[in-house]
Amino acid sequence: MENMWSSRFAQHWAQEISPAAFWRRTAELDRQVLRGLPHHAAAVDTVVGDYHVEVRDAWKEIDARTRRVDPAVADLRSPRRTVGTVLGALGIGGAFAFFFSRADFDMLAILPWSSAFLTVGTVGVLMALLPVRRSAPATSGLVQRSWLLAGFATAAAAAPLLLLRFITFSELPGAARTSLGLNLVLAGVCCAASALVTVTWIRLGTEEHSAVERLVDDVSTQREAVAESVLTRYRTSLEELHRDLAAEEREMMHRAYTAAGETLVARGVIETVDQVCSHVPGMLMLQAIADATIPNRTVVLVPQLAPPQR
């Protein structure tokens, strides 16, 4: 009965998953097959969860050591800067879209909204760029992103002036005049912050630029190396779990993978059944976490089902 349900779960999933989504959600195939063996599914979940926890703890240790040894590099890698960059892009992008999208907006009605979005975007830019000091210099990537955001902010602030060029400033409602002025001030703040970051970056010599970039890259390399080392160890754990199963249980899961593979081949999603039958159950789940945590990894657990490289 377990064999029948395991195959049904996997086959139904293979029938319903879209070809595009398949390569992003291959881990779900493992989960469907493992539904036929709840005790083994729980053990696999434990291994996969432990991998995630161990990588997270190792990264925290690396970040803490970086803060002790080189606070400037730690500051450049601060999550605050990442959150600020995302917030800045969303806020400024939203304000930009009001004036440069195909949507037909009432110009006077959207000016206050554009100011709200630009305010959020400017706060994000300041979070991403500040503090600026020689002990915590900027990277070339930070300089480039800052001017990109400042450029879009300036375009969003200047657009209403061009679109309303046939209306004199005195003819505009008070709220519209306030929004126009605020937008220009906010764009000016973004440009000023970008200029400050750029000046700090320019004042560094070529060797100092290289040293900063190298230190930031070294931290990323350390994090990826630790994650790959742990990944190799947990792959072995999954293989040991699989070997400990009874022969009929291993055969049951193989038949479930085969049933799913035949469905996927019939639908033209994959080329051969072997693509989904040649790995240890749980490897796709582990690979999914590795895809999200190790951008430049060299260890691929199931290469025949690895998602396309970004």
Side-chain angles (χ1 to χ4, degrees):
M1 180 63 71
E2 283 184 340
N3 178 29
M4 179 183 69
W5 283 111
S6 184
S7 294
R8 283 186 178 180
F9 290 142
Q11 198 167 19
H12 177 73
W13 179 86
Q15 184 63 49
E16 296 297 322
I17 191 74
S18 71
F22 171 79
W23 297 100
R24 300 192 307 271
R25 295 163 52 188
T26 52
E28 294 179 16
L29 176 58
D30 274 354
R31 294 193 180 279
Q32 296 301 321
V33 171
L34 288 168
R35 288 175 68 180
L37 284 177
H39 66 283
H40 188 58
V44 169
D45 279 334
T46 298
V47 170
V48 174
D50 287 349
Y51 166 74
H52 185 265
V53 170
E54 186 168 339
V55 170
R56 183 192 62 197
D57 291 345
W59 283 4
K60 286 182 178 178
E61 183 178 341
I62 291 172
D63 292 341
R65 184 169 63 247
T66 303
R67 284 193 294 272
R68 291 193 304 269
V69 175
D70 200 331
V73 172
D75 182 69
L76 286 173
R77 292 184 51 84
S78 169
R80 167 182 55 80
R81 294 187 184 271
T82 302
V83 171
T85 300
V86 173
L87 193 62
L90 291 175
I92 292 173
F96 183 87
F98 277 126
F99 304 111
F100 293 94
S101 69
R102 293 178 178 272
D104 185 15
F105 291 119
D106 182 329
M107 183 62 60
L108 297 180
I110 65 171
L111 274 173
W113 286 102
S114 70
S115 296
F117 273 84
L118 265 183
T119 299
V120 172
T122 301
V123 170
V125 168
L126 295 179
M127 286 174 59
L129 300 185
L130 302 180
V132 178
R133 54 182 183 272
R134 191 173 180 83
S135 60
T139 62
S140 58
L142 187 62
V143 172
Q144 293 167 6
R145 288 193 299 273
S146 70
W147 280 114
L148 182 65
L149 292 174
F152 278 102
T154 302
L161 298 177
L162 298 176
L163 296 173
L164 297 172
R165 61 187 180 276
F166 299 116
I167 302 177
T168 62
F169 192 74
S170 60
E171 293 175 332
L172 292 174
R177 291 199 299 269
T178 301
S179 295
L180 279 173
L182 179 59
N183 287 359
L184 292 172
V185 170
L186 292 172
V189 170
C190 290
C191 290
S194 299
L196 185 59
V197 169
T198 303
V199 169
T200 305
W201 183 75
I202 290 174
R203 289 176 61 187
L204 295 176
T206 303
E207 292 185 2
E208 290 175 291
H209 282 158
S210 300
V212 171
E213 303 282 355
R214 187 169 57 253
L215 287 171
V216 172
D217 289 342
D218 283 348
V219 175
S220 297
T221 300
Q222 289 177 42
R223 288 162 63 101
E224 291 178 6
V226 167
E228 284 213 325
S229 174
V230 176
L231 179 65
T232 301
R233 187 152 40 83
Y234 277 87
R235 174 178 62 186
T236 302
S237 297
L238 285 179
E239 291 169 344
E240 292 173 351
L241 277 178
H242 189 63
R243 282 196 297 269
D244 290 340
L245 290 172
E248 58 270 20
E249 291 176 323
R250 291 196 297 271
E251 180 60 26
M252 183 204 81
M253 289 192 291
H254 182 76
R255 282 196 290 266
Y257 280 117
T258 299
E262 289 172 349
T263 300
L264 291 167
V265 169
R267 295 180 59 214
V269 178
I270 59 176
E271 295 180 359
T272 66
V273 174
D274 287 343
Q275 284 180 259
V276 298
C277 294
S278 57
H279 70 278
V280 171
M283 289 292 190
L284 290 172
M285 296 161 60
L286 201 57
Q287 181 166 276
I289 297 178
D291 289 337
T293 55
I294 317 174
N296 300 311
R297 65 194 176 92
T298 57
V299 177
V300 181
L301 303 181
V302 191
Q304 63 272 25
L305 289 180
Q309 290 296 316
R310 293 183 293 274

